[in-house]
């Protein structure tokens, strides 16, 4: 995974430049005021700082749609160019108006970086460490602020500090960022797949994952082009093929055959019907359609769906994770699959490693192999389901040989999920039988039974003896299904090439899909609450608090000017954040996003409450300074562990590929508007209701945020982006059904 980590670090330099700029202007404005005599013109002084916010807000309004159209990488390149140009103009800046123009250009670069870096990292990062890598922008931003404060502090010690040089230094790291975006950062593989550039997407994935076999993830990216409209949850009991056969069970047209990593090893997945003693939380919610059955009537069904994946099953149901499911291998077929044809191997060898064209001889590299699955593997009449890259046994041999014989599932898509397809038939309106593929995301539910188990299995779905596991399944129509192509006997689950789907134009209607609207509500809500949770107010008040604590006096005694002391205090404050962000990076994929929010927001509430009390009650100067200082430090440390990075992480995870750019831009626009409102209402609020009133309002907002997170924000750790969007689709449908009931 080294490739993905290095790419994420390089991309997050865009956020380092944002933090660098924020700290530099905070220090430089002290000297800009003196040169341009702005003490009597607070509006111009405010605009110098605010112009970057205005620029970021303006460019964010269309950055998402452009990123969905031209790609993520060109937008990161544009961000680096804008940073570089703004640094040069600020270095020159003969007048305050030129400086304002430079700050506007700088804001354009900031807006692109803040909006698109989390999106880019989410789309390139492996599922298991996506949270860690997407916390890098927060760490880079704070690190950039610290480095910049150190630089500005050093310059402030000069006899005549040069603010132009302070601001112009931005061009140096931005030039490095530009070089990385041009020569090192690849395009997002998900965006490439959405444009039908399959061979290029495959090469990028191979580089990011450090392995040749990326067929499972490529198939997942194709499926991610759909927005779940008819997704449903099913349950399967999975056991050895021979054992189920021994039990003499009746043939089941819906059962799926899963081929394992060893030759001759196969399993059968059979749908669970009725109430099973092994019924998972997913199955319960699917059958009952609301949270009422879970004893939490206020919590959103989406939250419960996500939570059910991460919850451990009760001990009586078997707490040991099964070792069977991860080794089921990469090939799935319906039970009635005919004998594997001998020409599978020969044709797969002839096709080679690149994707063969199913759409004529032109542009072979960019065509899809139905998709990533050999075109001869499936026939409509034979009711066969596809096996990746040719024959079953050939793929098994390749899987078994990977990593020194360790079983690796090429259709594993991360987080314990497996991707499969099955063929189904139904009777059409004209009475004729119609066939079609259904896509399945399978996930083990952590239940394992052994021969002689005393577990009750009503309904006769599973034999009373033998080894088996239970799996939940998200079943839906494949993303690129086309009835017209199906009638031409096209092979494989993806019935249309992505480039043909793209030619139909933007899918703006997807914004109004229930799952997307539900995700937008979560994303916009958490961004608003983050901005009004008080971080800007606490940052504004920190120098005053530390001054009261005697830090300023201590620094003046060692010969520092008031300006230098203020800059050094800000640098020390920023330094305190870095270890906390490091802890958050470690916990993001272990404890999860939702857990960190629920654990850190109450501490923010307590810290703000203490600040309210010490500003109302006379507790003495020393006690006031000590409590205020401790509260501010605690607030900073826990904010950057949870409410700082997680809103951007969530917004980069919960939207479908086709509209991810525009949706995250909507959330980012909310972020910038909230930032402007909070920043420029703070002085007015301080004059009207004082510090205690301001911090009281922030504490109330944090209480509301805690309630919102508990009710509406799901746990997305360790789940593929495409599965996350499917869960939102299912949850939105269930929420609607619950309201109608």
């Amino acid at each position: 995974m080294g490739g993905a980590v290095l790419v994420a670090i390089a991309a997050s330099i865009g956020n380092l430049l944002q933090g660098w700029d924020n700290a530099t202007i905070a220090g430089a404005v002290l000297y800009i005021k003196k040169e341009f005599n702005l003490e009597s013109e607070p509006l111009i002084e405010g605009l110098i700082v605010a112009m970057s916010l205005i620029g970021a807000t303006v460019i964010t309004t269309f950055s998402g749609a452009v990123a969905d159209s031209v790609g993520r990488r060109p937008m990161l390149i544009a961000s680096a160019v804008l940073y570089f140009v703004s640094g040069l103009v600020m270095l020159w800046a003969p007048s305050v108006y030129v400086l304002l123009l430079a700050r506007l250009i700088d804001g354009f670069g900031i807006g692109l970086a803040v909006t698109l870096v989390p999106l880019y990292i989410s789309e390139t990062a492996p599922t298991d460490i996506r949270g860690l890598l997407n916390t890098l922008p927060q760490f880079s931003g704070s690190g950039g602020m610290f480095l910049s404060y150190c630089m500005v502090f050093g310059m402030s010690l000069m006899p005549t500090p040069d603010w132009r040089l302070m601001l112009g230094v931005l061009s140096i790291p931005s030039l490095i960022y530009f070089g990385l975006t041009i020569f090192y950062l690849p395009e997002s593989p998900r965006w490439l797949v959405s444009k039908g550039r399959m061979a290029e997407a495959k090469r990028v994935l191979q580089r990011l994952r450090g392995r040749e076999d990326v067929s499972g993830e490529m198939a997942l990216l194709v499926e991610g082009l759909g927005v779940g409209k008819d997704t449903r949850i099913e349950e399967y009991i999975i056991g050895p093929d021979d054992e189920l056969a021994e039990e003499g069970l009746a043939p089941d047209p819906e059962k799926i055959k899963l081929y394992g990593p060893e030759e001759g090893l196969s399993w059968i997945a059979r749908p669970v019907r009725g109430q099973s003693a092994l019924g998972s939380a997913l199955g319960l919610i699917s059958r009952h359609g609301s949270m009422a059955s879970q004893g939490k009537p206020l919590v959103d069904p989406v939250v419960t769906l996500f939570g059910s994946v991460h919850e451990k099953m009760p001990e009586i149901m078997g707490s040991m994770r099964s070792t069977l499911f991860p080794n089921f291998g990469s090939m799935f077929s319906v039970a009635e699959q005919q004998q594997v044809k001998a020409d599978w191997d020969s044709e797969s060898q002839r096709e080679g490693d690149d994707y063969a064209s199913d759409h004529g001889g032109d542009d072979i590299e960019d065509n899809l192999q139905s998709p990533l699955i050999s075109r001869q593997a499936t026939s409509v009449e034979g009711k066969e389901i596809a096996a990746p890259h040719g024959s079953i046994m050939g793929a098994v041999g390749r899987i078994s040989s990977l990593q020194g014989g360790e079983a690796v599932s090429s259709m594993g898509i991360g987080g314990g999920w497996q991707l499969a397809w099955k063929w189904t038939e139904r009777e059409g309106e004209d009475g004729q039988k119609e066939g079609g593929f259904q896509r399945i995301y399978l996930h083990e539910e952590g239940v394992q039974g052994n021969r002689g188990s005393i577990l009750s299995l009503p309904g006769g779905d599973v034999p009373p003896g033998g080894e088996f596991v239970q799996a939940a399944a998200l079943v839906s129509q494949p993303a690129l299904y086309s009835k017209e192509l199906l009638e031409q006997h096209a092979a494989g689950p993806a019935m249309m090439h992505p480039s043909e789907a793209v030619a139909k134009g933007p899918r703006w209607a997807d914004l109004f899909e229930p799952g997307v609207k539900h995700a937008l509500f979560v994303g916009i809500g958490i961004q608003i609450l983050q901005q009004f949770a008080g971080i800007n107010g606490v940052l504004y008040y920190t120098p005053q608090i530390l001054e009261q604590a005697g830090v300023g006096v201590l620094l003046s005694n060692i010969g520092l000017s008031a300006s230098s002391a203020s800059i050094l205090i800000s640098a020390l404050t920023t330094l305190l954040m870095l270890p906390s962000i490091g802890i958050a990076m470690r916990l993001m994929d272990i404890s999860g996003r939702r857990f960190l929010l629920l654990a850190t927001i109450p501490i923010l509430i307590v810290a703000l409450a203490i600040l309210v009390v010490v500003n109302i009650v006379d507790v003495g100067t020393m006690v006031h300074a000590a409590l205020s200082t401790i509260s501010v430090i605690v607030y900073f440390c826990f904010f950057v562990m949870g409410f700082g990075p997680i809103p951007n992480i969530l917004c980069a995870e919960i939207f479908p590929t086709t509209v991810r750019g525009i949706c995250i831009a909507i959330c980012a626009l909310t972020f910038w508007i909230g930032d402007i409102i909070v920043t420029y209402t703070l002085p007015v609020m301080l004059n009207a209701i004082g510090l205690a009133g301001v911090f009281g309002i922030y504490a109330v907002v944090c209480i509301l945020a805690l309630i919102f997170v508990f009710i509406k924000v799901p746990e997305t750790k360790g789940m593929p982006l495409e599965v996350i969007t499917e869960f939102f689709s299912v949850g939105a449908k269930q929420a609607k059904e619950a309201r109608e009931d």
Side-chain angles (χ1 to χ4, degrees):
M1 299 301 180
V5 173
L6 292 176
V7 163
I9 292 172
S12 67
I13 293 176
N15 294 80
L16 183 146
L17 297 177
Q18 179 218 2
W20 180 287
D21 177 77
N22 288 346
T24 306
I25 193 63
V29 75
L30 301 173
Y31 306 101
I32 294 172
K33 287 193 297 183
K34 295 177 183 177
E35 178 170 334
F36 293 120
N37 299 314
L38 299 179
E39 284 84 355
S40 59
E41 297 186 56
L43 178 61
I44 299 297
E45 178 188 346
L47 272 177
I48 290 173
V49 178
M51 213 61 182
S52 61
L53 291 179
I54 295 170
T57 304
V58 170
I59 203 163
T60 298
T61 56
F62 59 86
S63 62
V66 175
D68 282 339
S69 176
V70 304
R72 287 44 164 144
R73 180 170 169 268
M75 302 299 279
L76 295 180
I77 294 171
S79 173
V81 171
L82 290 166
Y83 275 130
F84 179 73
V85 171
S86 68
L88 292 181
V89 177
M90 286 188 286
L91 182 63
W92 169 54
S95 69
V96 70
Y97 298 106
V98 173
L99 178 61
L100 289 174
L101 174 63
R103 297 294 300 157
L104 182 68
I105 297 172
D106 182 55
F108 292 157
I110 290 173
L112 291 179
V114 170
T115 303
L116 297 175
V117 168
L119 181 153
Y120 178 82
I121 293 176
S122 280
E123 292 191 340
T124 56
T127 298
D128 296 335
I129 58 172
R130 188 177 63 238
L132 182 153
L133 296 185
N134 234 338
T135 312
L136 278 173
Q138 180 80 29
F139 187 87
S140 298
S142 297
M145 289 179 68
F146 175 70
L147 293 174
S148 179
Y149 276 130
C150 291
M151 179 201 70
V152 173
F153 173 71
M155 291 185 176
S156 71
L157 300 178
M158 296 178 180
T160 54
D162 188 345
W163 62 264
R164 289 181 177 84
L165 187 59
M166 292 180 186
L167 296 174
V169 170
L170 176 70
S171 293
I172 297 174
S174 63
L175 192 59
I176 297 172
Y177 187 46
F178 175 74
L180 289 171
T181 56
I182 289 288
F183 299 109
Y184 185 72
L185 293 185
E187 182 54 87
S188 161
R190 283 178 166 84
W191 183 84
L192 290 171
V193 167
S194 74
K195 300 302 178 184
R197 294 158 63 176
M198 303 303 297
E200 190 177 348
K202 179 189 175 185
R203 288 192 293 270
V204 170
L205 266 183
Q206 287 172 332
R207 172 188 164 190
L208 292 172
R209 302 296 179 257
R211 63 175 187 267
E212 289 296 314
D213 183 13
V214 292
S215 58
E217 193 165 356
M218 285 292 290
L220 174 68
L221 302 195
V222 173
E223 291 301 334
L225 300 181
V227 179
K229 300 177 182 179
D230 58 351
T231 306
R232 65 186 185 277
I233 298 173
E234 295 180 357
E235 289 181 274
Y236 291 91
I237 296 294
I238 303 175
D241 187 8
D242 57 344
E243 202 159 309
L244 289 180
E246 287 173 6
E247 297 295 327
L249 297 172
D252 188 341
E254 295 186 32
K255 61 185 179 181
I256 306 171
K257 199 165 191 175
L258 300 89
Y259 288 88
E262 299 177 11
E263 187 170 350
L265 178 66
S266 62
W267 305 81
I268 290 291
R270 305 182 70 249
V272 174
R273 297 182 179 84
Q275 292 288 347
S276 167
L278 297 176
S280 65
L282 280 176
L284 286 171
I285 299 165
S286 176
R287 286 190 287 269
H288 295 292
S290 78
M291 272 298 304
S293 62
Q294 302 298 306
K296 300 176 183 176
L298 294 177
V299 178
D300 195 309
V302 172
V303 175
T304 306
L305 282 174
F306 280 88
S308 64
V309 175
H310 305 291
E311 289 174 2
K312 292 183 178 179
M313 299 299 289
E315 187 173 349
I316 190 172
M317 305 298 285
S319 60
M320 181 184 300
R321 297 289 294 176
S322 171
T323 59
L324 306 177
F325 193 80
N327 295 329
F328 280 150
S330 62
M331 293 131 302
F332 296 79
S333 75
V334 282
E336 295 85 354
Q337 179 168 317
Q338 305 296 324
Q339 184 68 28
V340 178
K341 297 179 181 179
D343 62 349
W344 282 19
D345 278 325
S346 60
E347 185 166 349
S348 70
Q349 291 171 2
R350 176 162 45 84
E351 289 170 348
D353 290 331
D354 287 330
Y355 300 106
S357 171
D358 291 327
H359 306 276
D362 298 332
D363 196 21
I364 291 178
E365 280 255 317
D366 277 352
N367 273 300
L368 182 65
Q369 191 182 323
S370 301
L372 330 173
I373 290 177
S374 55
R375 58 177 176 264
Q376 80 285 355
T378 308
S379 69
V380 174
E381 296 85 0
K383 301 178 185 177
E384 299 170 358
I385 195 132
H389 300 296
S391 79
I392 291 174
M393 292 304 111
V396 168
R398 283 192 294 275
I399 294 168
S400 299
S401 65
L402 292 174
Q403 298 186 1
E406 180 182 353
V408 178
S409 171
S410 66
M411 294 304 280
I413 55 177
W417 291 86
Q418 301 270 336
L419 175 61
W421 294 269
K422 69 176 181 180
W423 176 265
T424 60
E425 283 188 346
R426 62 183 178 85
E427 192 170 295
E429 295 178 0
D430 56 358
Q432 298 294 319
K433 284 190 175 182
E434 295 179 351
F437 281 101
Q438 290 187 320
R439 182 211 60 226
I440 307 174
Y441 294 132
L442 281 168
H443 187 270
E444 180 204 351
E445 288 303 287
V447 179
Q448 178 178 359
N450 297 304
R451 189 174 296 277
S453 170
I454 61 171
L455 292 174
S456 170
L457 298 166
D461 285 308
V462 179
E467 294 182 330
F468 56 88
V469 293
Q470 185 177 15
L474 289 171
V475 183
S476 183
Q477 179 177 289
L480 303 179
Y481 178 87
S482 167
K483 185 176 179 181
E484 291 75 18
L485 287 178
L486 178 63
E487 290 172 351
Q488 300 172 20
H489 301 283
M495 307 306 289
M496 185 189 303
H497 188 266
S499 60
E500 298 174 10
V502 170
K504 296 180 180 178
R507 296 165 59 177
W508 292 94
D510 288 345
L511 286 175
F512 301 99
E513 287 296 323
V516 177
K517 289 193 295 183
H518 204 109
L520 271 173
F521 179 80
V522 172
I524 292 172
I526 199 166
Q527 291 284 9
I528 292 173
L529 291 167
Q530 182 211 42
Q531 282 303 306
F532 288 89
I535 185 63
N536 287 334
V538 178
L539 281 170
Y540 183 91
Y541 182 50
T542 296
Q544 181 181 338
I545 291 175
L546 296 180
E547 183 74 26
Q548 290 175 348
V551 176
V553 175
L554 177 65
L555 295 176
S556 63
N557 288 338
I558 62 175
L560 293 180
S561 66
S563 297
S564 297
S566 173
I567 294 168
L568 184 57
I569 287 171
S570 297
L572 294 173
T573 304
T574 306
L575 181 61
L576 290 172
M577 299 181 186
L578 297 179
S580 299
I581 302 173
I583 294 172
M585 292 173 69
R586 174 63 179 160
L587 296 177
M588 198 65 67
D589 292 304
I590 298 174
S591 300
R593 292 76 153 140
R594 175 179 166 87
F595 173 85
L596 283 174
L597 286 174
L598 293 176
T600 57
I601 293 176
I603 298 173
L604 303 185
I605 296 170
V606 172
L608 290 169
I610 292 173
L611 288 172
V612 171
V613 171
V614 298
N615 281 282
I616 293 177
V617 180
D618 185 6
V619 294
T621 305
M622 289 299 296
V623 175
H624 181 280
L627 288 176
S628 297
T629 303
I630 293 171
S631 297
V632 165
I633 292 172
V634 168
Y635 181 92
F636 279 139
C637 291
F638 283 90
F639 185 89
V640 296
M641 285 179 65
F643 230 162
I646 291 176
N648 284 340
I649 293 175
L650 283 173
C651 290
E653 292 178 329
I654 60 180
F655 302 112
T657 299
T658 52
V659 291
R660 186 173 290 125
I662 191 168
C663 287
I664 199 172
I666 292 170
C667 294
L669 185 62
T670 305
F671 169 88
W672 291 116
I673 292 174
D675 194 358
I676 292 172
I677 292 173
V678 171
T679 301
Y680 291 97
T681 58
L682 180 59
V684 177
M685 292 171 64
L686 285 172
N687 290 331
I689 58 179
L691 272 173
V694 169
F695 288 133
I697 291 174
Y698 292 157
V700 170
V701 172
C702 284
I703 293 172
L704 295 176
L706 185 64
I707 296 171
F708 180 83
V709 170
F710 181 76
I711 293 175
K712 287 290 184 181
V713 177
E715 181 54 76
T716 59
K717 68 173 182 179
M719 298 179 69
L721 299 181
E722 290 71 16
V723 175
I724 291 172
T725 58
E726 290 291 338
F727 267 57
F728 267 97
S729 175
V730 174
K733 183 191 303 182
Q734 292 176 356
K736 181 179 179 181
E737 292 173 356
R739 287 193 299 269
E740 291 174 352
D741 291 344

